[in-house]
Amino acid sequence: MTGMHIGYDLSFTHTEGAWARQGSWIGRDFPDVRMFMELAQTAERAGVGLLFFGDGSGIPSTWRGSIAPAVEWGIQWPRHDMSPVIAAMSTVTEKVGFGLTYSSTFMHPFYVARLLNSLDHVTGGRIAFNVVASTRGADAANYGFTELMDHDLRYERMEEFVDVCRALWDSVAPDAIVRDRSTGRFADPAKVHPIDHDGRFFTVKGPLASVPGPQYHPLVVQAGNSPRGIAASARFADLVFGFGGHLASQQRHRKLLDEALLGEGRDPEHVGILWATQVIVGRTKAEALARCDAVHEFWNEEAVATYLSHNAGYDFSTLPTSFQLGELRDELAAANASPAGIVGSLVTEFGADHTMSRGEFFAHGRGRATGLDHSVVGDPAAVADALEENFAATGSRGGFMFSSPLAMPSGFAGISELLLPELRRRGALAPAYQGSTLRENLAV
Ligand SMILES: Cc1cc2nc3c(=O)[nH]c(=O)nc-3n(C[C@H](O)[C@H](O)[C@H](O)COP(=O)(O)O)c2cc1C
């Protein structure tokens, strides 16, 4: 048991109004790289293990088939490729790690393996690869797909994708580079091998034309939540992301993952889950609640509907005035949309037979879009209590990936300045920066 590891999810520090609220940057706007460099420095001072960027390349367009509301209100857009930003952040820090997301559904593993190797060098062994099987049609359309590949097929492609990355990282042995200045001999050809991969999805000759990175294999992170997704985590993930905020589903995830890991001959004690958890902390409970109100004020109805439809991959403008939750769930599954998310949690909460009105659906959806229906809110002691309890009840392996819907940088500053010192004082956190690489620092 190592105590909690802490990550910050920086994916949406500039969207959904966070850029405009009180406590946001003055005189700086996304994508000013200095914003991120400063965030990295303050996070490192607080002992944060991982700064994480998710990815999605399409503009939300599922609601009424239009990008207009997402563009107008800045819902999940704009989003940049954050790899150069990570490189810049790494030059002003020494310890904190970085997580970068690419889609195995759309990208090619040779490109991604090569890029991650470069980032492993630039960051000094502090890079993690979050591999995702994309669920959104808006992303697919940018890569030449008219529709999303089947859910389970995406995971098969993901497993092959990671196999190829790993084979490429292995294709130049750690001791292959000789660099003998007296003879000019650079490397030992006996230690550099093609991979000759010829699989269902990819054909890659290899080897990688790269010097092995400090971690050799960048840390691989994955967030499958379905049985098939969890099977993929068990096969290859060094660290898992899970949806936090709902204890019963977290315990289910931990249990299924542990079983699947044992099935793969891996030790569940050494595979942590970082639970994605939105926290809103204030010096007092009243201050924390006032911060929630500021988030609520931003979200108009169109913004909520745009967000929900995008994340589910289903246009909720087509909902009838009332409907049965189980039928809606089945319809999403049949449409290759995501039956987890909002619809899945409503089914869990109210039952598949429950009939819901369109108005009620969007009222619940508001809580989902703002994240306020599953946030941990309060003063530092109350939030720390809730997190300690949740950590213990979910196997005490991993920790939390915090997100904040508040203005930036004040939202994460609150976590760094109020919450993390409280958790550290209690001895609840894993010791910060024990090793020299991210892989060592996040080990459980
Ligand atoms: C912390 C966290 C971060 C995630 N980041 C992304 C992301 O950046 N891009 C993405 O397309 N999906 C992301 N996901 C979603 C997962 O990749 C996955 O689609 C989801 O967990 C559902 O998996 P399932 O289809 O196996 O149920 C994330 C999930 C979690 C918990």
Side-chain angles (χ1 to χ4, degrees):
M1 301 291 159
T2 55
M4 299 172 192
H5 290 289
I6 300 297
Y8 283 179
D9 182 350
L10 303 183
S11 311
F12 300 109
T13 55
H14 62 287
T15 56
E16 284 89 37
W19 55 277
R21 282 191 270 282
Q22 192 185 347
S24 57
W25 298 97
I26 293 174
R28 285 190 187 173
D29 285 301
F30 180 85
D32 187 334
V33 73
R34 292 171 302 168
M35 291 160 58
F36 291 99
M37 291 161 81
E38 254 179 69
L39 270 176
Q41 287 175 311
T42 56
E44 184 166 273
R45 280 200 289 275
V48 172
L50 180 70
L51 297 175
F52 166 76
F53 293 103
D55 197 31
S57 54
I59 303 177
S61 60
T62 315
W63 172 253
R64 298 195 196 286
S66 165
I67 61 168
V71 170
E72 184 158 18
W73 303 111
I75 307 297
Q76 311 264 294
W77 107 289
R79 302 194 75 174
H80 287 201
D81 186 318
M82 300 310 275
S83 55
V85 175
I86 286 176
M89 291 162 99
S90 75
T91 62
V92 293
T93 52
E94 286 175 3
K95 307 284 190 189
V96 66
F98 304 97
L100 182 63
T101 300
Y102 285 115
S103 166
S104 57
T105 310
F106 307 129
M107 308 281 289
H108 195 284
F110 188 84
Y111 175 81
V112 172
R114 186 166 182 242
L115 175 63
L116 285 159
N117 166 276
S118 283
L119 282 169
D120 203 33
H121 284 287
V122 171
T123 60
R126 293 185 282 148
I127 193 75
F129 170 33
N130 176 42
V131 59
V132 294
S134 304
T135 52
R136 298 169 192 139
D139 297 1
N142 287 331
Y143 290 92
F145 295 91
T146 47
E147 59 184 45
L148 211 51
M149 205 180 286
D150 263 2
H151 181 270
D152 289 7
L153 197 62
R154 278 180 262 148
Y155 277 114
E156 268 175 53
R157 186 174 154 116
M158 178 189 276
E159 286 176 349
E160 190 181 326
F161 191 103
V162 174
D163 283 348
V164 172
C165 286
R166 291 203 160 145
L168 286 167
W169 292 325
D170 284 335
S171 66
V172 183
D175 58 351
I177 310 299
V178 178
R179 272 196 254 264
D180 185 338
R181 284 178 187 261
S182 60
T183 62
R185 187 170 184 253
F186 183 73
D188 180 352
K191 294 181 175 166
V192 180
H193 298 285
I195 66 167
D196 291 320
H197 178 87
D198 188 12
R200 176 168 182 191
F201 300 95
F202 306 107
T203 302
V204 181
K205 175 118 186 90
L208 206 60
S210 309
V211 173
Q215 293 183 108
Y216 197 48
H217 284 200
L219 200 75
V220 178
V221 187
Q222 198 259 346
N225 194 44
S226 58
R228 183 64 186 87
I230 290 171
S233 297
R235 222 184 116 192
F236 63 72
D238 297 309
L239 177 70
V240 172
F241 286 161
F243 292 110
H246 188 269
L247 182 60
S249 52
Q250 288 175 273
Q251 287 173 328
R252 169 198 156 271
H253 190 167
R254 184 72 249 185
K255 183 169 172 288
L256 290 177
L257 179 65
D258 288 354
E259 287 165 7
L261 285 164
L262 288 172
E264 292 284 339
R266 298 180 64 196
D267 183 356
E269 287 305 311
H270 294 295
V271 181
I273 301 182
L274 289 188
W275 300 107
T277 306
Q278 181 163 290
V279 292
I280 299 178
V281 61
R283 276 163 293 193
T284 60
K285 186 176 176 190
E287 188 178 74
L289 291 172
R291 290 179 174 178
C292 293
D293 290 343
V295 175
H296 245 299
E297 279 160 25
F298 162 77
W299 287 86
N300 62 40
E301 278 173 26
E302 197 176 43
V304 169
T306 301
Y307 179 94
L308 294 179
S309 296
H310 176 61
N311 276 291
Y314 185 84
D315 183 1
F316 291 118
S317 71
T318 60
L319 283 181
T321 26
S322 82
F323 52 88
Q324 212 187 36
L325 284 175
E327 280 174 15
L328 178 62
R329 180 196 53 197
D330 296 346
E331 198 177 316
L332 260 71
N336 206 14
S338 170
I342 170 87
V343 177
S345 28
L346 289 176
V347 171
T348 310
E349 194 176 339
F350 296 100
D353 294 341
H354 184 83
T355 300
M356 184 167 268
S357 75
R358 192 182 153 99
E360 283 171 303
F361 178 82
F362 285 112
H364 286 290
R366 195 180 177 80
R368 172 54 61 111
T370 55
L372 295 176
D373 65 352
H374 55 274
S375 297
V376 186
V377 183
D379 60 49
V383 173
D385 284 347
L387 294 172
E388 280 199 283
E389 200 177 308
N390 188 270
F391 186 65
T394 52
S396 306
R397 282 160 282 156
F400 295 96
M401 170 71 78
F402 290 140
S403 61
S404 170
L406 303 180
M408 286 300 137
S410 67
F412 278 117
I415 300 174
S416 297
E417 288 162 15
L418 298 173
L419 179 60
L420 296 190
E422 174 68 20
L423 287 167
R424 202 171 297 288
R425 192 182 60 71
R426 297 175 177 209
L429 296 182
Y433 314 134
Q434 290 278 285
S436 58
T437 62
L438 181 60
R439 180 175 288 283
E440 293 162 306
N441 285 338
L442 292 186
V444 295

